[in-house]
């Protein structure tokens, strides 16, 4: 079974998919077989009569993972809500053992498998079961994505502290710039976090102008910005 990394974030919309895609594309260019999984995607829009998982699609494209979208994203839900809430509305039961089985199939066929959560670590998959529980069950270390803006220090520390309370391994965090003009907070967050956390900062991703047009060249961009060492440890030699 290959190595896995759970990509979580301090919130929804902070750049988990972007960072997972950048990392997947970079690992792929380095010669690794990269698997991806988005266990549950909510807020899916119908396309050709089916709910389309946009995050899962981006992850598949960036990684070159040949698994079907149905396997990469077994649960696709329409409501833009936490998985447990969307599933209840849509009369779907999320089966964690099915997710475990699919994860082990994907990870056995790849050197490294990136699993993207939804929202943050304490988002519920079932009424009493969060993504922290899933990461623990799948024995996945975390990569935490934080939006580099005012509030990032508190949000990053809350996530890192909860991970530590749950005995989850944190490989590091990434600060992602969502705003085209960096705020004073964005310029000072990295240094502030450095003195407040033990977990390594693996990089700062700048605001990417016209991101959709640059999706195919994310590997180059991430190569310059991401410290891969903690992520590559334990992977087979290239
Ligand atoms: N560094 C960035 N530069 C420009 N746009 C970004 C950047 N990071 C994320 N975005 C945009 O912000 C939105 C949220 O990012 P996404 O990766 O989907 O977040 P999450 O997966 O955490 O919900 C998307 O529209 C994405 O294209
Ligand atoms: Mg996402």
């Amino acid at each position: 079974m290959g190595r896995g990394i759970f990509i979580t974030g301090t919130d929804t919309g902070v750049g988990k998919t972007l960072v997972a895609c950048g990392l997947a594309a970079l690992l792929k260019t380095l010669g690794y077989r990269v698997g991806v999984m988005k266990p549950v995607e909510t807020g899916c829009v119908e396309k050709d009569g089916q709910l389309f998982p946009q995050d899962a699609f981006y992850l598949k494209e960036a990684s070159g993972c040949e698994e079907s979208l149905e396997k990469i994203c077994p649960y696709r839900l329409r409501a833009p809500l936490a998985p447990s809430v969307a599933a209840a509305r849509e009369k779907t039961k999320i089966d964690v053992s099915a997710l475990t089985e699919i994860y082990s199939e994907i990870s056995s066929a790849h050197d490294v498998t990136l699993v993207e959560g939804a929202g943050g670590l304490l988002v519920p998959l079932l009424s009493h079961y969060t993504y922290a529980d899933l990461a623990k069950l799948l024995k996945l270390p975390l990569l935490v994505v934080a939006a580099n803006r005012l509030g990032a220090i508190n949000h990053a520390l809350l996530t890192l502290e909860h991970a530590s309370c749950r005995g989850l391994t944190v490989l590091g965090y990434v600060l992602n710039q969502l705003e085209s003009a960096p705020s004073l907070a964005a310029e000072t967050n990295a240094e502030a976090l450095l003195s407040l956390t033990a977990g390594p900062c693996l990089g700062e991703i700048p605001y990417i102008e016209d991101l959709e047009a640059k999706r195919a060249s994310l590997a180059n961009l991430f190569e310059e910005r991401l410290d891969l060492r903690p992520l590559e440890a334990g992977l087979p030699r290239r």
Side-chain angles (χ1 to χ4, degrees):
M1 190 132 112
R3 164 141 205 216
I5 300 174
F6 186 75
I7 317 286
T8 189
T10 51
D11 200 353
T12 186
V14 295
K16 292 181 299 294
T17 306
L18 173 73
V19 171
C21 286
L23 176 58
L26 180 52
L27 290 168
K28 180 179 175 232
T29 62
L30 293 173
Y32 295 110
R33 294 172 305 159
V34 184
V36 285
M37 191 173 174
K38 171 89 185 180
V40 186
E41 185 155 345
T42 63
C44 293
V45 173
E46 215 165 287
K47 210 170 169 179
D48 303 326
Q50 289 200 325
L51 290 176
F52 182 73
Q54 185 67 62
D55 281 10
F57 175 80
Y58 282 145
L59 292 169
K60 179 172 162 65
E61 290 278 288
S63 60
C65 174
E66 285 174 4
E67 306 285 359
S68 68
L69 268 186
E70 288 72 21
K71 192 162 176 182
I72 290 171
C73 183
Y75 293 99
R76 286 153 278 159
L77 299 165
R78 190 183 300 270
L81 296 169
S84 69
V85 187
R89 282 169 70 99
E90 291 168 42
K91 314 266 181 281
T92 300
K93 179 99 174 74
I94 294 169
D95 179 353
V96 171
S97 59
L99 292 177
T100 311
E101 212 164 287
I102 293 171
Y103 170 73
S104 50
E105 283 173 23
I106 298 179
S107 76
S108 351
H110 297 87
D111 299 319
V112 56
T113 298
L114 308 181
V115 180
E116 185 191 340
L121 214 44
L122 286 180
V123 164
L125 275 159
L126 309 173
S127 55
H128 295 285
Y129 195 92
T130 67
Y131 276 95
D133 295 314
L134 183 69
K136 186 95 190 162
L137 180 74
L138 301 180
K139 299 189 176 63
L140 294 173
L142 311 183
L143 188 161
V144 177
V145 180
N148 194 5
R149 61 188 173 203
L150 189 61
I153 297 176
N154 177 51
H155 290 150
L157 293 178
L158 284 169
T159 301
L160 296 172
E161 192 161 319
H162 184 73
S164 154
C165 286
R166 292 298 315 273
L168 291 162
T169 302
V170 177
L171 297 170
Y173 58 90
V174 172
L175 285 167
N176 181 43
Q177 179 70 41
L178 290 164
E179 298 151 352
S180 55
S183 61
L184 187 56
E187 285 165 6
T188 51
N189 279 337
E191 201 180 332
L193 276 169
L194 213 56
S195 64
L196 286 159
T197 67
C201 178
L202 302 181
E204 289 185 59
I205 307 302
Y207 177 77
I208 305 166
E209 198 75 52
D210 204 6
L211 172 59
E212 290 319 308
K214 292 185 187 139
R215 282 205 175 264
S217 49
L218 284 181
N220 289 341
L221 198 141
F222 273 69
E223 188 177 19
E224 292 164 16
R225 306 277 177 167
L226 209 60
D227 179 5
L228 268 189
R229 285 167 300 176
L231 306 174
E232 267 192 298
L235 290 183
R237 276 168 181 270
R238 286 184 264 129

